[in-house]
Amino acid sequence: DVTEVGMQVITTSTTGRPTVQIARGRQASPTSNFTYTDILSAKLTIDSGEYDARNSDTAPTIDTTNDTLNTGDVLRFDVDSAGTGTKGLNVTIQCRLP
């Protein structure tokens, strides 16, 4: 299960908030395409001029109905907003066995 997420940038945004959604991809069978489900009900964001999401005005929220990762799952990181001048992106995910 995903228990914690975080995000940092290398160069801060001068305007706008970098915003990222994490989606879990899963196949129904080896020959089927991946179906993606958002893991976060409130996305990761970093306030303008800051480096880390932990100080954001909006804390990320893990959707506990979609937080399970299985062997073979893939993760997709959707950058919904980059902000102005932002460079580099680190995303951390903490998991534990259910």
Side-chain angles (χ1 to χ4, degrees):
D1 291 341
V2 176
T3 59
E4 192 173 327
V5 295
M7 178 173 73
Q8 302 81 34
V9 294
I10 305 304
T11 303
T12 65
S13 169
T14 55
T15 58
R17 299 171 61 178
T19 304
V20 171
Q21 174 62 266
I22 303 170
R24 176 196 70 207
R26 186 171 287 165
Q27 290 178 294
S29 72
T31 58
S32 66
N33 199 358
F34 286 90
T35 300
Y36 287 90
T37 304
D38 290 342
I39 292 176
L40 304 175
S41 53
K43 300 174 187 179
L44 283 157
T45 61
I46 299 177
D47 296 331
S48 180
E50 295 187 1
Y51 290 94
D52 199 300
R54 79 176 128 209
N55 302 317
S56 179
D57 289 339
T58 306
T61 304
I62 297 167
D63 183 343
T64 56
T65 61
N66 296 318
D67 67 344
T68 303
L69 300 177
N70 294 337
T71 301
D73 284 353
V74 297
L75 296 176
R76 183 183 72 203
F77 300 90
D78 299 326
V79 179
D80 295 332
S81 174
T84 302
T86 307
K87 293 184 182 175
L89 177 67
N90 300 319
V91 176
T92 56
I93 302 173
Q94 182 176 329
C95 300
R96 73 162 179 252
L97 291 173

